[in-house]
Amino acid sequence: MILTLGLAGIIQTLLVGGIAGYYLSQSLYEETEQRALMVARTVAAAPSVIAGINRRDIPALNRTASRLTATNQALFVVIGDKQALRLAHPDPTRLGRSMADDDGDYGRRALEDGESYVARATGSLGESMRAKAPVIDPETGSIIGIVSVGYSLEQVDTTIQRYNLVFYGVIGLMILATVISAIFISNRFKKAIFGLEPEEIARRFREQEATLQSVREGIIAVNRDGVITMANRAACANLGLPEETELAGRPILEILPESTLLSVLATRKPDFDREVWLRGRKMVVNRLPVRQNNEVIGVVTSFRPSDELHQVSQQLTRIQQYADTLRSQTHEYSNKLHTIAGLIQIGATDEALTLIGSEVSDHQSLLKLLLEAVPDPVIAGCLLGKYNRAREMGLNLDIDPDSAMEDIPDNLPREQLVSVLGNLIDNALEATRQHTGENGRVRLSMTDLGDELIFEIEDQGPGVPDAVQQTIFERGVSGKGEDHGIGLYLVQQFLNRWDGSVTIENLPAGGSRFTLYLPKYQEEGESL
């Protein structure tokens, strides 16, 4: 860049300087021509000159010519008669001789055609710019002589050289300034691009572009004016736009009219893992301000459909529930089989049959209730697993036979809902066992009437003190000791995202009631 900028500046300066010098020389020559022509015409029209030629008063004419030469700073003023014979000349030896012996031009155009003209010639006094004008007698109107006025071209060249010295000095300073500016601009530019060479910048740009397009998350960057500066193909796909749509250069509000992305410019704070609604799909969005010299110059957002994570989470949740259910059933049925085997060995076959019938009846009743009240297999599986878990702990999980949970919104994440229910039921079972021992009961009631889903979970624990109710949903707060206090915190996080709520009530007979409220129809959250 130093060489390019410096060389370009030098060439431009030299071109401008050369052209300016050329026109300066031409102007000086033209000025000298016009000056010589004007003096020649003035001398030719002087009455003293006309009278001197008519009288052939050579001494008077020479005095006049000498005076005019000095006055006009000319090289010479020569006066001749109609035959071009010199009547006045700086060199007395040339008086009376023809003007043609000086430069071959005796002034024919002036003497014969009456024309005033300028010519460049080399004479006895050196190279000069000379003008010739006819002397016309005003009384007769005839040409009676000729005047030749010359200016030395050496003098003109000296003037041009003097101007050129100054001019070349200015050109030199301009070239020096150009080189210094090129060095300064190059250093600033190199600092701005972190000392990288153009080839390195091109390579890194291609690498960045390939990396950006390979990311499955949609990525959009905007400047401080809200204009999109960069977007990958995944962004178009997640926004439901054709993959070839060009987003760069378009305002973000044109693509997403309800976008709050520019609010990050005002807050200057990043925003991570926020769930928002975008074109009818729930997205997990991260927004990060871009800083330069401690100034926010733009925002980058990445977003991905939350249903992808939900699908994986749902699969893991179902696997975990299935494993818990199998473990509980294995443990419970192992105990039951041992009991039945013992009854058969001692001959108490009637009691063994009664126990088998009771067990089958209890599970059939529960399965029938779940099939009728909770058609959703994920929630039903969770409740069945918690029922077996309660039996394993020596407790009873009673599900209100009047419960109904059929009208569950499709966009309500099932894996998060069962996580919330599982945490609340587990806490109720644990509190009941610690307070009552075995044979305690936990009651669950569900209803989907109205605009909310309502879950009531009652336990027989010690209750929740009023002071603890204010902090029980905070992270790390638990009555179980260290390394606890996560479950209810996750419950509260889910409720915050879903605009739900939970209330805690201590029962008169002992224990507590947790009531969970979830709206069926959630308003769409903020956009990107």
Side-chain angles (χ1 to χ4, degrees):
M1 289 191 65
I2 294 175
L3 292 176
T4 302
L5 293 176
L7 187 59
I10 291 173
I11 292 175
Q12 291 177 359
T13 303
L14 292 176
L15 285 175
V16 172
I19 294 173
Y22 171 77
Y23 279 104
L24 174 63
S25 301
Q26 293 298 111
S27 297
L28 287 175
Y29 283 123
E30 290 177 2
E31 181 184 354
T32 303
E33 291 176 358
Q34 295 301 320
R35 185 177 181 182
L37 188 59
M38 181 185 65
V39 173
R41 287 173 175 172
T42 302
V43 173
S48 60
V49 174
I50 296 173
I53 293 175
N54 285 329
R55 297 194 304 267
R56 296 190 70 83
D57 189 352
I58 294 175
L61 290 174
N62 276 280
R63 288 194 298 271
T64 301
S66 297
R67 185 178 69 255
L68 293 174
T69 299
T71 301
N72 292 281
Q73 299 179 346
L75 179 62
F76 60 83
V77 174
V78 176
I79 302 174
D81 60 10
K82 188 174 182 179
Q83 286 74 34
L85 299 177
R86 296 186 183 95
L87 300 178
H89 193 278
D91 185 0
T93 62
R94 291 184 176 269
L95 293 175
R97 296 182 180 179
S98 174
M99 297 174 66
D101 65 359
D102 195 0
D103 57 2
D105 182 10
Y106 64 90
R108 181 184 59 80
R109 294 167 58 186
L111 292 172
E112 296 178 4
D113 302 332
E115 178 184 355
S116 299
Y117 64 95
V118 179
R120 185 182 301 184
T122 302
S124 59
L125 298 178
E127 187 177 10
S128 62
M129 185 75 69
R130 56 188 64 185
K132 296 185 179 183
V135 179
I136 301 175
D137 189 342
E139 294 181 359
T140 63
S142 61
I143 299 173
I144 62 174
I146 183 172
V147 173
S148 177
V149 177
Y151 281 88
S152 174
L153 290 181
E154 293 182 1
Q155 187 178 7
V156 177
D157 292 337
T158 301
T159 303
I160 293 174
Q161 290 176 2
R162 186 171 68 252
Y163 283 137
N164 283 342
L165 288 177
V166 177
F167 198 70
Y168 292 150
V170 173
I171 290 177
L173 292 176
M174 291 178 63
I175 291 175
L176 180 61
T178 300
V179 173
I180 294 175
S181 300
I183 295 174
F184 177 76
I185 293 174
S186 299
N187 289 336
R188 287 292 301 272
F189 189 77
K190 192 169 184 178
K191 182 179 179 181
I193 59 176
F194 305 102
L196 299 175
E197 295 298 330
E199 295 79 6
E200 295 178 292
I201 296 175
R203 187 185 70 251
R204 294 196 179 191
F205 175 79
R206 288 192 292 268
E207 292 175 352
Q208 180 186 14
E209 184 69 15
T211 302
L212 184 67
Q213 298 301 338
S214 66
V215 176
R216 294 185 61 186
E217 290 191 358
I219 299 177
I220 294 178
V222 300
N223 59 19
R224 68 183 70 189
D225 297 323
V227 177
I228 299 175
T229 57
M230 180 272 297
N232 63 352
R233 287 191 294 267
C236 296
N238 290 337
L239 294 176
L241 300 173
E243 187 174 313
E244 64 276 6
T245 303
E246 183 62 37
L247 298 181
R250 301 171 64 180
I252 184 66
L253 296 180
E254 178 184 327
I255 306 300
L256 299 170
E258 299 179 357
S259 173
T260 59
L261 186 60
L262 296 182
S263 63
V264 180
L265 289 173
T267 62
R268 302 167 65 92
K269 295 181 179 179
D271 195 7
F272 298 107
D273 296 330
R274 179 181 293 273
E275 289 191 351
V276 302
W277 284 96
L278 183 62
R279 296 180 180 268
R281 300 178 65 186
K282 180 171 284 190
M283 299 282 183
V284 178
V285 178
N286 295 291
R287 299 182 291 191
L288 189 68
V290 180
R291 300 177 184 271
Q292 183 178 11
N293 297 328
N294 201 30
E295 180 183 359
V296 177
I297 61 173
V299 182
V300 174
T301 179
S302 64
F303 51 97
R304 63 188 183 277
S306 61
D307 51 6
E308 294 181 1
L309 298 178
H310 290 167
Q311 290 176 1
V312 176
S313 177
Q314 186 175 9
Q315 292 176 358
L316 293 176
T317 301
R318 290 177 178 175
I319 293 173
Q320 181 65 37
Q321 292 173 354
Y322 184 64
D324 290 343
T325 301
L326 289 179
R327 180 177 56 82
S328 300
Q329 288 181 343
T330 299
H331 182 75
E332 181 182 0
Y333 283 114
S334 177
N335 293 332
K336 295 292 177 62
L337 287 175
H338 291 159
T339 302
I340 293 172
L343 291 174
I344 293 175
Q345 287 178 358
I346 62 176
T349 55
D350 292 337
E351 288 78 0
L353 292 174
T354 301
L355 180 60
I356 294 172
S358 174
E359 184 66 25
V360 172
S361 175
D362 290 344
H363 274 81
Q364 289 296 327
S365 299
L366 176 62
L367 291 175
K368 181 179 179 181
L369 172 62
L370 292 178
L371 289 175
E372 294 177 354
V374 188
D376 191 288
V378 176
I379 299 177
C382 172
L383 297 180
L384 180 60
K386 295 306 176 184
Y387 175 84
N388 292 324
R389 173 63 176 165
R391 297 288 296 271
E392 180 185 355
M393 297 171 65
L395 304 175
N396 293 294
L397 175 60
D398 297 333
I399 301 178
D400 189 341
D402 294 328
S403 294
M405 191 54 59
E406 301 179 7
D407 190 14
I408 302 176
D410 294 335
N411 57 348
L412 179 63
R414 302 301 195 269
E415 71 284 352
Q416 295 186 24
L417 178 59
V418 299
S419 176
V420 169
L421 287 176
N423 277 312
L424 294 177
I425 294 174
D426 286 342
N427 287 343
L429 292 174
E430 188 68 26
T432 300
R433 186 179 67 172
Q434 291 181 357
H435 190 66
T436 64
E438 295 187 357
N439 298 322
R441 292 185 175 275
V442 173
R443 181 176 178 274
L444 171 64
S445 175
M446 302 172 291
T447 179
D448 57 1
L449 297 177
D451 294 332
E452 293 180 314
L453 307 179
I454 302 175
F455 299 85
E456 286 187 355
I457 300 159
E458 297 180 1
D459 61 49
Q460 293 180 341
V464 182
D466 294 340
V468 177
Q469 290 182 17
Q470 305 300 323
T471 60
I472 195 172
F473 291 100
E474 295 180 4
R475 188 181 184 94
V477 177
S478 175
K480 303 176 184 178
E482 297 182 358
D483 300 328
H484 293 279
I486 300 298
L488 292 181
Y489 169 76
L490 295 177
V491 170
Q492 187 62 53
Q493 294 301 305
F494 170 74
L495 295 177
N496 291 339
R497 288 194 297 269
W498 199 257
D499 297 328
S501 62
V502 62
T503 61
I504 304 175
E505 180 184 359
N506 289 322
L507 303 176
S512 58
R513 178 191 296 128
F514 283 70
T515 306
L516 185 69
Y517 300 91
L518 293 175
K520 292 182 181 179
Y521 310 105
Q522 185 188 35
E523 295 184 0
E524 289 193 356
E526 61 178 316
S527 183
L528 285 182

